[in-house]
Amino acid sequence: MECDLGHLTLSLPDADATRALGARLAAACPPGTLILLRGPLGAGKTTLVEGVVHALGAGHAASPTFVIAREYAGGSMPVSHLDLYRLEDPREVEDLDLGAYLRADGITLVEWPDRAPGEWPADRIEVELSIDGHGRKADVTIFGALAPIVAIDHVAAS
Ligand SMILES: Nc1ncnc2c1ncn2[C@@H]1O[C@H](COP(=O)(O)OP(=O)(O)OP(=O)(O)O)[C@@H](O)[C@H]1O
Ligand SMILES: [Mg+2]
């Protein structure tokens, strides 16, 4: 594990480790946090969302297969989960108000954020997941005003 101010590289040997990272992010992030999840097909993005949703007691996450967004409202903080994979053409989302899905009172997680046109808010966390043998590697970067608020050591601790 490498950890410096605002950036962290973690080895995630199995899916439970990915869920545990999600749980630590859920505990460390204030309401209003936006988390962009990057990485190829099967990298573990939805698995990380499962960890966030479970840790907040908001139920069980699943891939929003037929909808682009799913809300989990029952827990200590609401979670909004967007999966933009099927938006092949950014023009499809031009009149879709993605800003409406960004929760001020909870955590918003976005899979395939580059499918959206325009810019995401500058204050955000990015998690880049990559395949690493049988496991995964996670690069976590905290940007903007969130950097002094989210304790990276709490995200790092296993
Ligand atoms: N750290 C890990 N080590 C090994 N397997 C993992 C790890 N994290 C998740 N997985 C497994 O990888 C598979 C794909 O995970 P997941 O569906 O979360 O990927 P995804 O990034 O959301 O993919 P997609 O882009 O298709 O939505 C699942 O079987 C999951 O259990
Ligand atoms: Mg997924």
Side-chain angles (χ1 to χ4, degrees), residues 59-134:
H60 295 283
S63 228
T65 306
F66 299 110
V67 290
I68 69 151
R70 191 160 281 181
E71 302 276 320
Y72 299 92
S76 53
M77 220 179 1
V79 177
S80 178
H81 175 201
L82 280 73
D83 186 340
L84 305 183
Y85 182 70
R86 273 160 301 278
L87 301 177
E88 297 282 348
D89 182 349
R91 279 171 299 186
E92 286 175 48
V93 278
E94 256 167 23
D95 38 272
L96 188 74
D97 183 12
L98 284 174
Y101 292 100
L102 305 181
R103 303 206 63 121
D105 56 348
I107 297 184
T108 303
L109 298 118
V110 186
E111 295 187 48
W112 300 98
D114 290 345
R115 294 280 208 264
E119 302 278 313
W120 291 99
D123 299 336
R124 64 185 188 231
I125 295 177
E126 298 219 5
V127 181
E128 169 106 48
L129 291 157
S130 48
I131 312 279
D132 183 19
H134 294 294

Side-chain angles (χ1 to χ4, degrees), residues 12-15 17-19 39-48 63 83 85 111-112 129 134-136:
L12 306 171
D14 55 28
T18 307
R19 290 187 195 95
L41 281 171
K45 301 177 293 295
T46 303
T47 306
L48 189 145
S63 228
D83 186 340
Y85 182 70
E111 295 187 48
W112 300 98
L129 291 157
H134 294 294
R136 306 288 186 268

